[in-house]
Protein backbone atom coordinates (compact mmCIF):
# COMPACT_ATOMS: atom_id res chain seq x y z
CA UNK A 1 0.00 0.00 0.00
CA UNK A 2 2.82 2.39 0.86
CA UNK A 3 4.36 1.78 -2.58
CA UNK A 4 1.11 2.69 -4.33
CA UNK A 5 0.84 5.88 -2.28
CA UNK A 6 4.33 7.03 -3.23
CA UNK A 7 3.77 6.02 -6.87
CA UNK A 8 0.68 8.21 -6.96
CA UNK A 9 2.69 11.10 -5.49
CA UNK A 10 5.30 10.74 -8.25
CA UNK A 11 2.63 10.57 -10.96
CA UNK A 12 1.02 13.76 -9.72
CA UNK A 13 4.38 15.56 -9.35
CA UNK A 14 5.95 14.38 -12.63
CA UNK A 15 6.32 17.95 -13.84
CA UNK A 16 8.41 18.83 -10.79
CA UNK A 17 10.72 15.90 -11.50
CA UNK A 18 11.05 16.87 -15.17
CA UNK A 19 11.63 20.53 -14.32
CA UNK A 20 14.32 19.68 -11.76
CA UNK A 21 16.10 17.37 -14.20
CA UNK A 22 16.05 20.02 -16.95
CA UNK A 23 17.31 22.71 -14.56
CA UNK A 24 20.16 20.48 -13.40
CA UNK A 25 21.01 19.67 -17.02
CA UNK A 26 21.08 23.35 -17.94
CA UNK A 27 23.31 24.21 -14.98
CA UNK A 28 25.64 21.38 -15.93
CA UNK A 29 25.93 22.61 -19.51
CA UNK A 30 26.63 26.17 -18.35
CA UNK A 31 29.29 24.89 -15.96
CA UNK A 32 30.90 22.80 -18.69
CA UNK A 33 31.01 25.85 -20.98
CA UNK A 34 32.59 28.09 -18.32
CA UNK A 35 35.04 25.62 -16.74
CA UNK A 36 38.67 25.74 -17.91
CA UNK A 37 39.87 22.35 -19.20
CA UNK A 38 42.52 20.77 -16.99
CA UNK A 39 45.20 18.40 -18.27
CA UNK A 40 47.18 15.82 -16.38
CA UNK A 41 50.45 14.12 -17.24
CA UNK A 42 52.87 12.00 -15.26
CA UNK A 43 56.49 10.87 -15.31
CA UNK A 44 57.92 7.78 -13.63
CA UNK A 45 61.33 7.31 -12.04
CA UNK A 46 63.22 4.23 -10.91
CA UNK A 47 65.53 4.14 -7.90
CA UNK A 48 68.36 1.59 -7.82
CA UNK A 49 71.85 1.10 -6.29
CA UNK A 50 74.52 3.04 -8.14
CA UNK A 51 76.70 1.24 -10.65
CA UNK A 52 79.72 2.47 -8.73
CA UNK A 53 79.10 -0.30 -6.17
CA UNK A 54 81.05 -3.35 -7.34
CA UNK A 55 81.20 -5.61 -4.30
CA UNK A 56 78.37 -8.06 -4.03
CA UNK A 57 78.11 -7.54 -0.28
CA UNK A 58 77.64 -3.79 -0.74
CA UNK A 59 75.03 -4.33 -3.43
CA UNK A 60 73.00 -6.63 -1.15
CA UNK A 61 73.27 -4.16 1.72
CA UNK A 62 72.10 -1.24 -0.45
CA UNK A 63 69.12 -3.25 -1.69
CA UNK A 64 68.15 -4.17 1.88
CA UNK A 65 68.33 -0.51 2.84
CA UNK A 66 66.20 0.44 -0.15
CA UNK A 67 63.52 -2.05 0.98
CA UNK A 68 63.06 -0.02 4.17
CA UNK A 69 61.36 2.69 2.04
CA UNK A 70 63.02 5.58 3.85
CA UNK A 71 65.31 6.40 0.91
CA UNK A 72 62.59 6.29 -1.75
CA UNK A 73 60.17 8.24 0.49
CA UNK A 74 62.86 10.92 0.83
CA UNK A 75 63.14 11.09 -2.95
CA UNK A 76 59.35 11.52 -3.20
CA UNK A 77 59.49 14.48 -0.81
CA UNK A 78 62.22 16.05 -2.94
CA UNK A 79 59.96 15.77 -5.99
CA UNK A 80 57.09 17.30 -3.99
CA UNK A 81 59.10 20.23 -2.68
CA UNK A 82 58.11 23.78 -3.59
CA UNK A 83 61.74 24.58 -4.28
CA UNK A 84 61.89 22.19 -7.25
CA UNK A 85 58.61 23.49 -8.64
CA UNK A 86 59.44 27.18 -8.34
CA UNK A 87 62.92 26.73 -9.80
CA UNK A 88 61.47 24.99 -12.88
CA UNK A 89 58.61 27.52 -13.14
CA UNK A 90 61.13 30.33 -13.13
CA UNK A 91 63.18 28.57 -15.83
CA UNK A 92 60.02 28.21 -17.96
CA UNK A 93 59.24 31.91 -17.31
CA UNK A 94 55.82 31.22 -15.80
CA UNK A 95 54.20 34.34 -14.40
CA UNK A 96 53.29 34.64 -10.74
CA UNK A 97 49.59 34.56 -11.71
CA UNK A 98 50.04 31.26 -13.59
CA UNK A 99 51.88 29.30 -10.89
CA UNK A 100 48.79 28.63 -8.66
CA UNK A 101 46.99 26.94 -11.57
CA UNK A 102 49.50 24.05 -11.72
CA UNK A 103 49.70 21.32 -9.11
CA UNK A 104 52.55 18.87 -8.60
CA UNK A 105 52.38 15.64 -6.60
CA UNK A 106 54.70 12.64 -6.27
CA UNK A 107 53.87 9.22 -4.82
CA UNK A 108 55.71 5.97 -4.26
CA UNK A 109 54.11 3.08 -6.10
CA UNK A 110 53.33 0.17 -3.75
CA UNK A 111 55.70 -2.81 -3.66
CA UNK A 112 58.13 -1.14 -6.11
CA UNK A 113 61.07 1.25 -6.13
CA UNK A 114 59.19 3.44 -8.57
CA UNK A 115 58.16 7.08 -8.12
CA UNK A 116 55.35 8.72 -10.06
CA UNK A 117 55.26 12.49 -10.51
CA UNK A 118 51.94 13.99 -11.68
CA UNK A 119 51.33 17.55 -12.84
CA UNK A 120 47.91 19.11 -13.49
CA UNK A 121 47.26 22.42 -15.21
CA UNK A 122 45.36 24.32 -17.89
CA UNK A 123 48.01 24.08 -20.65
CA UNK A 124 49.00 20.59 -21.84
CA UNK A 125 52.40 21.65 -23.21
CA UNK A 126 53.41 23.50 -20.01
CA UNK A 127 52.15 20.59 -17.92
CA UNK A 128 54.53 18.16 -19.67
CA UNK A 129 57.44 20.62 -19.43
CA UNK A 130 56.85 21.05 -15.69
CA UNK A 131 56.72 17.29 -15.07
CA UNK A 132 59.94 16.58 -16.92
CA UNK A 133 61.62 19.73 -15.60
CA UNK A 134 60.81 19.01 -11.95
CA UNK A 135 61.91 15.41 -12.45
CA UNK A 136 65.24 16.36 -13.94
CA UNK A 137 65.81 19.05 -11.30
CA UNK A 138 65.14 16.49 -8.54
CA UNK A 139 67.51 13.97 -10.18
CA UNK A 140 70.31 16.53 -10.26
CA UNK A 141 69.72 17.46 -6.64
CA UNK A 142 69.53 13.85 -5.41
CA UNK A 143 72.70 12.83 -7.21
CA UNK A 144 74.60 15.49 -5.33
CA UNK A 145 73.63 13.77 -2.08
CA UNK A 146 73.45 10.05 -2.93
CA UNK A 147 75.71 9.88 -5.99
CA UNK A 148 77.84 7.10 -4.54
CA UNK A 149 74.99 4.95 -3.26
CA UNK A 150 71.70 5.22 -5.22
CA UNK A 151 70.70 6.38 -8.69
CA UNK A 152 67.34 7.83 -9.75
CA UNK A 153 66.53 8.01 -13.45
CA UNK A 154 63.57 8.54 -15.73
CA UNK A 155 61.65 5.37 -16.40
CA UNK A 156 58.85 7.03 -18.43
CA UNK A 157 59.15 10.73 -19.27
CA UNK A 158 55.96 12.80 -19.25
CA UNK A 159 54.07 13.13 -22.52
CA UNK A 160 51.95 16.06 -23.70
CA UNK A 161 48.32 15.13 -22.84
CA UNK A 162 45.80 15.47 -25.64
CA UNK A 163 42.54 15.08 -23.71
CA UNK A 164 41.62 17.01 -20.56
CA UNK A 165 40.73 14.96 -17.48
CA UNK A 166 38.31 17.65 -16.29
CA UNK A 167 35.59 18.45 -17.05
CA UNK A 168 34.13 15.19 -18.40
CA UNK A 169 30.92 16.12 -20.23
CA UNK A 170 29.26 12.68 -20.29
CA UNK A 171 29.96 12.00 -16.60
CA UNK A 172 29.04 15.48 -15.41
CA UNK A 173 25.80 15.63 -17.44
CA UNK A 174 24.69 12.18 -16.25
CA UNK A 175 25.48 13.00 -12.63
CA UNK A 176 23.71 16.37 -12.77
CA UNK A 177 20.61 14.83 -14.39
CA UNK A 178 20.47 12.05 -11.77
CA UNK A 179 20.77 14.57 -8.93
CA UNK A 180 18.06 16.70 -10.55
CA UNK A 181 15.70 13.72 -10.73
CA UNK A 182 16.36 12.86 -7.08
CA UNK A 183 15.71 16.46 -6.07
CA UNK A 184 12.50 16.48 -8.13
CA UNK A 185 11.29 13.27 -6.47
CA UNK A 186 11.90 14.81 -3.06
CA UNK A 187 9.99 17.94 -4.10
CA UNK A 188 7.08 15.88 -5.43
CA UNK A 189 6.77 13.91 -2.18
CA UNK A 190 7.09 17.02 -0.02
CA UNK A 191 4.50 18.84 -2.15
CA UNK A 192 2.04 15.98 -1.73
CA UNK A 193 2.52 15.84 2.03
CA UNK A 194 2.14 19.61 2.34
CA UNK A 195 -0.91 19.90 0.09
CA UNK A 196 -2.74 16.77 1.25
CA UNK A 197 -5.29 17.47 4.02
CA UNK A 198 -4.39 16.21 7.44
CA UNK A 199 -7.36 13.85 7.43
CA UNK A 200 -6.11 12.09 4.30
CA UNK A 201 -2.65 11.65 5.79
CA UNK A 202 -4.15 10.18 8.95
CA UNK A 203 -6.30 7.86 6.89
CA UNK A 204 -3.21 6.33 5.26
CA UNK A 205 -2.11 5.03 8.63
CA UNK A 206 -5.52 4.12 10.04
CA UNK A 207 -6.30 0.87 8.25
CA UNK A 208 -6.38 -2.32 10.28
CA UNK A 209 -3.67 -4.58 8.85
CA UNK A 210 -5.53 -7.86 9.50
CA UNK A 211 -9.00 -7.03 8.24
CA UNK A 212 -8.29 -4.03 5.95
CA UNK A 213 -11.19 -2.24 7.66
CA UNK A 214 -10.77 1.14 9.32
CA UNK A 215 -9.38 1.27 12.83
CA UNK A 216 -11.47 2.21 15.85
CA UNK A 217 -9.62 5.51 16.16
CA UNK A 218 -10.54 6.52 12.63
CA UNK A 219 -14.16 5.41 13.13
CA UNK A 220 -14.58 7.51 16.26
CA UNK A 221 -13.13 10.62 14.63
CA UNK A 222 -15.26 10.15 11.51
CA UNK A 223 -18.36 9.60 13.65
CA UNK A 224 -17.76 12.88 15.48
CA UNK A 225 -17.44 14.75 12.19
CA UNK A 226 -20.51 13.04 10.75
CA UNK A 227 -22.62 13.92 13.78
CA UNK A 228 -21.43 17.53 13.61
CA UNK A 229 -22.48 17.97 9.99
CA UNK A 230 -25.54 15.68 9.84
CA UNK A 231 -27.99 18.21 11.28
CA UNK A 232 -31.47 16.75 11.12
CA UNK A 233 -30.38 13.75 9.03
CA UNK A 234 -30.79 10.35 10.67
CA UNK A 235 -27.65 8.40 11.55
CA UNK A 236 -27.34 4.94 13.09
CA UNK A 237 -24.43 2.82 14.16
CA UNK A 238 -24.19 -0.91 14.73
CA UNK A 239 -21.82 -3.22 16.55
CA UNK A 240 -21.21 -6.82 15.49
CA UNK A 241 -19.53 -9.27 17.84
CA UNK A 242 -18.28 -12.73 16.85
CA UNK A 243 -18.82 -14.84 19.97
CA UNK A 244 -17.95 -18.08 18.20
CA UNK A 245 -14.26 -17.16 18.06
CA UNK A 246 -13.68 -16.43 21.76
CA UNK A 247 -12.16 -19.79 22.64
CA UNK A 248 -10.08 -20.37 19.49
CA UNK A 249 -8.97 -16.95 18.24
CA UNK A 250 -5.79 -16.64 20.32
CA UNK A 251 -4.51 -20.00 19.07
CA UNK A 252 -5.18 -19.38 15.37
CA UNK A 253 -2.15 -18.82 13.08
CA UNK A 254 -1.73 -15.27 11.82
CA UNK A 255 -2.41 -16.12 8.12
CA UNK A 256 -5.67 -17.81 9.14
CA UNK A 257 -6.68 -14.81 11.28
CA UNK A 258 -5.99 -12.45 8.40
CA UNK A 259 -7.98 -14.54 5.92
CA UNK A 260 -10.87 -14.91 8.37
CA UNK A 261 -11.10 -11.21 9.23
CA UNK A 262 -11.03 -10.17 5.57
CA UNK A 263 -13.76 -12.69 4.77
CA UNK A 264 -15.88 -11.17 7.54
CA UNK A 265 -15.38 -7.70 6.05
CA UNK A 266 -16.46 -9.00 2.64
CA UNK A 267 -19.72 -10.31 4.15
CA UNK A 268 -20.33 -6.99 5.92
CA UNK A 269 -19.76 -4.91 2.79
CA UNK A 270 -22.09 -7.05 0.73
CA UNK A 271 -24.97 -5.65 2.80
CA UNK A 272 -23.73 -2.04 3.00
CA UNK A 273 -23.74 1.03 0.80
CA UNK A 274 -20.68 2.83 -0.47
CA UNK A 275 -21.16 5.63 2.05
CA UNK A 276 -21.28 3.27 5.05
CA UNK A 277 -18.16 2.88 7.20
CA UNK A 278 -16.84 -0.41 8.61
CA UNK A 279 -14.15 -0.48 11.32
CA UNK A 280 -12.44 -3.03 13.52
CA UNK A 281 -13.85 -2.14 16.94
CA UNK A 282 -12.20 -4.71 19.16
CA UNK A 283 -10.41 -7.99 18.50
CA UNK A 284 -13.66 -9.84 17.75
CA UNK A 285 -16.08 -7.01 17.04
CA UNK A 286 -16.76 -4.54 14.26
CA UNK A 287 -18.46 -1.15 14.13
CA UNK A 288 -20.69 0.03 11.28
CA UNK A 289 -21.75 3.61 10.60
CA UNK A 290 -24.92 4.12 8.55
CA UNK A 291 -25.30 7.80 7.60
CA UNK A 292 -28.78 9.05 6.69
CA UNK A 293 -30.32 5.81 7.99
CA UNK A 294 -33.10 5.73 10.63
CA UNK A 295 -33.22 3.02 13.25
CA UNK A 296 -35.64 0.64 11.48
CA UNK A 297 -33.72 0.36 8.15
CA UNK A 298 -30.50 0.19 10.16
CA UNK A 299 -31.81 -2.70 12.26
CA UNK A 300 -32.88 -4.53 9.08
CA UNK A 301 -29.41 -4.04 7.58
CA UNK A 302 -27.72 -5.31 10.74
CA UNK A 303 -30.07 -8.28 10.87
CA UNK A 304 -29.13 -9.24 7.30
CA UNK A 305 -25.46 -8.96 8.31
CA UNK A 306 -26.13 -11.16 11.35
CA UNK A 307 -27.80 -13.80 9.24
CA UNK A 308 -24.95 -13.70 6.71
CA UNK A 309 -22.34 -14.15 9.42
CA UNK A 310 -24.37 -16.91 11.08
CA UNK A 311 -23.81 -19.19 8.09
CA UNK A 312 -20.98 -21.77 8.39
CA UNK A 313 -17.77 -20.13 7.18
CA UNK A 314 -15.16 -22.04 5.18
CA UNK A 315 -11.62 -20.89 5.86
CA UNK A 316 -10.40 -22.13 2.46
CA UNK A 317 -11.95 -23.15 -0.84
CA UNK A 318 -10.96 -26.75 -0.34
CA UNK A 319 -13.70 -27.06 2.30
CA UNK A 320 -11.37 -28.10 5.07
CA UNK A 321 -12.16 -26.23 8.28
CA UNK A 322 -15.60 -24.77 9.02
CA UNK A 323 -16.09 -22.07 11.64
CA UNK A 324 -19.30 -20.85 13.23
CA UNK A 325 -18.97 -17.15 14.03
CA UNK A 326 -22.07 -16.97 16.29
CA UNK A 327 -22.64 -13.22 15.69
CA UNK A 328 -24.53 -10.79 17.94
CA UNK A 329 -25.49 -7.27 16.87
CA UNK A 330 -26.55 -4.09 18.60
CA UNK A 331 -27.94 -0.94 16.92
CA UNK A 332 -28.44 2.63 18.11
CA UNK A 333 -29.83 5.72 16.43
CA UNK A 334 -28.27 9.12 17.11
CA UNK A 335 -30.11 11.93 18.87
CA UNK A 336 -29.89 15.39 17.45
CA UNK A 337 -26.83 17.03 19.03
CA UNK A 338 -25.85 13.85 20.88
CA UNK A 339 -22.10 13.36 21.55
CA UNK A 340 -20.47 10.46 19.74
CA UNK A 341 -19.39 8.83 23.01
CA UNK A 342 -22.96 8.51 24.29
CA UNK A 343 -24.17 7.09 20.97
CA UNK A 344 -21.41 4.48 21.04
CA UNK A 345 -22.22 3.60 24.64
CA UNK A 346 -25.88 3.02 23.77
CA UNK A 347 -24.86 0.76 20.89
CA UNK A 348 -22.58 -1.21 23.23
CA UNK A 349 -25.45 -1.54 25.72
CA UNK A 350 -27.70 -2.82 22.95
CA UNK A 351 -25.05 -5.39 22.00
CA UNK A 352 -24.77 -6.47 25.61
CA UNK A 353 -28.55 -6.84 25.88
CA UNK A 354 -28.52 -9.07 22.80
CA UNK A 355 -25.78 -11.24 24.32
CA UNK A 356 -27.46 -11.56 27.72
CA UNK A 357 -30.92 -12.25 26.31
CA UNK A 358 -29.58 -14.55 23.60
CA UNK A 359 -31.74 -12.77 21.01
CA UNK A 360 -28.77 -12.24 18.65
CA UNK A 361 -29.76 -8.59 18.08
CA UNK A 362 -31.08 -5.62 20.02
CA UNK A 363 -31.51 -1.94 19.26
CA UNK A 364 -31.79 1.43 20.93
CA UNK A 365 -34.07 3.80 19.07
CA UNK A 366 -34.23 7.56 19.30
CA UNK A 367 -36.05 7.41 22.65
CA UNK A 368 -32.90 5.84 24.18
CA UNK A 369 -34.73 2.75 25.41
CA UNK A 370 -33.74 -0.78 24.27
CA UNK A 371 -36.35 -2.28 21.96
CA UNK A 372 -37.08 -5.73 20.66
CA UNK A 373 -36.24 -6.92 17.18
CA UNK A 374 -39.52 -5.64 15.79
CA UNK A 375 -38.63 -2.11 16.78
CA UNK A 376 -41.72 -1.56 18.94
CA UNK A 377 -41.13 0.37 22.20
CA UNK A 378 -40.46 -1.77 25.24
CA UNK A 379 -39.09 -1.21 28.70
CA UNK A 380 -35.58 -2.12 29.85
CA UNK A 381 -35.53 -5.90 30.49
CA UNK A 382 -35.47 -6.85 34.13
CA UNK A 383 -32.62 -9.35 33.93
CA UNK A 384 -30.18 -9.84 36.83
CA UNK A 385 -27.32 -10.34 34.39
CA UNK A 386 -28.13 -7.09 32.61
CA UNK A 387 -28.35 -5.14 35.88
CA UNK A 388 -24.94 -6.56 36.90
CA UNK A 389 -23.50 -5.44 33.59
CA UNK A 390 -24.85 -1.89 33.91
CA UNK A 391 -23.30 -1.65 37.41
CA UNK A 392 -19.93 -2.86 36.07
CA UNK A 393 -20.35 -6.46 37.27
CA UNK A 394 -19.49 -9.70 35.42
CA UNK A 395 -20.59 -10.01 31.82
Amino acid sequence: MEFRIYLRMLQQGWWLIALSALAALALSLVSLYQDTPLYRTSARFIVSPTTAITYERDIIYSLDTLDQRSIISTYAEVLNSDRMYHDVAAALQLGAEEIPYYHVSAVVLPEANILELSVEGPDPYTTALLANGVGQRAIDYIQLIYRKVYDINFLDPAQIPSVPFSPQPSRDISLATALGIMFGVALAVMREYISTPLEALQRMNMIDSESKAYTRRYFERHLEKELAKSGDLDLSIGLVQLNGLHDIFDNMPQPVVQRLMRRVIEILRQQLRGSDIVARWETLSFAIMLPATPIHPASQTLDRIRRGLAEPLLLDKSGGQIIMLDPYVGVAEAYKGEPAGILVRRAEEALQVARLKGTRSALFSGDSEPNGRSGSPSSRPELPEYENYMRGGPQ
Side-chain angles (χ1 to χ4, degrees):
M1 182 176 180
E2 291 292 334
F3 175 77
R4 292 197 297 270
I5 292 173
Y6 285 110
L7 182 61
R8 178 179 57 82
M9 291 180 180
L10 297 182
Q11 290 174 342
Q12 294 179 351
W14 67 268
W15 60 275
L16 281 173
I17 301 174
L19 187 61
S20 299
L22 290 175
L25 178 60
L27 290 175
S28 176
L29 293 175
V30 171
S31 177
L32 289 173
Y33 179 77
Q34 293 181 344
D35 284 350
T36 301
L38 294 178
Y39 296 84
R40 179 190 292 137
T41 188
S42 61
R44 291 191 174 189
F45 306 86
I46 184 170
V47 180
S48 61
T50 181
T51 57
I53 301 176
T54 57
Y55 293 105
E56 182 178 354
R57 177 174 55 82
D58 294 337
I59 295 175
I60 295 174
Y61 176 77
S62 62
L63 289 173
D64 289 341
T65 304
L66 197 58
D67 283 342
Q68 296 177 6
R69 315 302 285 174
S70 60
I71 297 297
I72 196 168
S73 296
T74 303
Y75 288 4
E77 291 303 317
V78 173
L79 289 168
N80 275 324
S81 67
D82 291 338
R83 175 182 174 181
M84 300 295 142
Y85 173 56
H86 286 287
D87 287 348
V88 175
L92 295 176
Q93 298 182 348
L94 288 180
E97 70 281 356
E98 296 180 272
I99 291 178
Y101 292 101
Y102 292 89
H103 303 279
V104 178
S105 63
V107 296
V108 180
L109 298 185
E111 304 299 327
N113 294 322
I114 304 294
L115 295 167
E116 184 176 70
L117 175 70
S118 299
V119 179
E120 300 174 0
D123 181 69
Y125 182 72
T126 304
T127 301
L129 288 178
L130 278 173
N132 290 327
V134 170
Q136 187 59 54
R137 183 73 175 175
I139 289 174
D140 294 341
Y141 180 80
I142 290 170
Q143 286 179 347
L144 291 175
I145 303 175
Y146 297 98
R147 64 181 181 274
K148 294 182 179 181
V149 184
Y150 299 104
D151 285 336
I152 177 172
N153 296 291
F154 276 101
L155 181 63
D156 296 310
Q159 304 296 321
I160 300 175
S162 58
V163 179
F165 75 92
S166 177
Q168 297 181 8
S170 58
R171 181 200 64 185
D172 295 346
I173 290 175
S174 301
L175 181 60
T177 304
L179 291 176
I181 292 175
M182 293 173 61
F183 183 71
V185 169
L187 283 180
V189 173
M190 289 177 60
R191 170 182 173 272
E192 187 69 16
Y193 272 106
I194 293 173
S195 61
T196 302
L198 181 60
E199 179 182 347
L201 290 176
Q202 292 173 341
R203 184 170 179 174
M204 294 178 188
N205 299 319
M206 301 192 76
I207 299 295
D208 179 64
S209 59
E210 288 184 345
S211 64
K212 292 303 180 181
Y214 288 111
T215 62
R216 176 170 180 167
R217 181 181 178 187
Y218 176 82
F219 183 90
E220 290 174 338
R221 289 185 177 182
H222 197 79
L223 177 61
E224 291 175 354
K225 294 179 181 180
E226 194 69 27
L227 289 174
K229 70 178 182 181
S230 291
D232 295 332
L233 296 179
D234 297 314
L235 183 143
S236 299
I237 66 170
L239 294 178
V240 180
Q241 186 163 2
L242 309 177
N243 278 14
L245 301 179
H246 272 299
D247 296 331
I248 63 173
F249 188 83
D250 291 337
N251 297 323
M252 296 174 68
Q254 182 62 27
V256 176
V257 170
Q258 186 179 85
R259 189 161 61 247
L260 176 61
M261 292 295 102
R262 294 184 184 182
R263 178 59 184 145
V264 169
I265 292 300
E266 289 180 6
I267 296 174
L268 293 178
R269 287 175 175 163
Q270 288 173 0
Q271 304 296 334
L272 299 175
R273 305 164 300 181
S275 59
D276 299 334
I277 301 295
V278 181
R280 184 88 174 267
W281 191 247
E282 292 179 349
T283 304
L284 296 177
S285 61
F286 296 87
I288 301 170
M289 184 192 309
L290 303 167
T293 306
I295 188 65
H296 297 296
S299 63
Q300 293 173 359
T301 299
L302 267 293
D303 193 58
R304 290 197 302 270
I305 290 174
R306 182 193 61 78
R307 283 188 271 112
L309 293 174
E311 297 292 330
L313 187 64
L314 297 177
L315 285 183
D316 50 60
K317 295 181 180 179
S318 61
Q321 187 175 2
I322 298 177
I323 289 182
M324 301 300 296
L325 299 178
D326 190 20
Y328 287 82
V329 301
V331 193
E333 182 182 21
Y335 293 142
K336 182 178 180 181
E338 180 182 28
I342 296 179
L343 174 61
V344 169
R345 186 175 64 190
R346 292 196 294 111
E348 290 176 336
E349 291 175 356
L351 177 63
Q352 186 67 11
V353 168
R355 289 179 56 194
L356 295 176
K357 293 178 63 177
T359 57
R360 306 296 179 184
S361 63
L363 59 88
F364 276 179
S365 66
D367 59 6
S368 80
E369 292 291 328
N371 300 327
R373 292 187 57 184
S374 64
S376 59
S378 64
S379 61
R380 186 181 299 260
E382 297 297 332
L383 295 175
E385 294 87 352
Y386 181 77
E387 296 299 329
N388 287 336
Y389 165 75
M390 296 303 293
R391 290 196 297 267
Q395 298 184 16

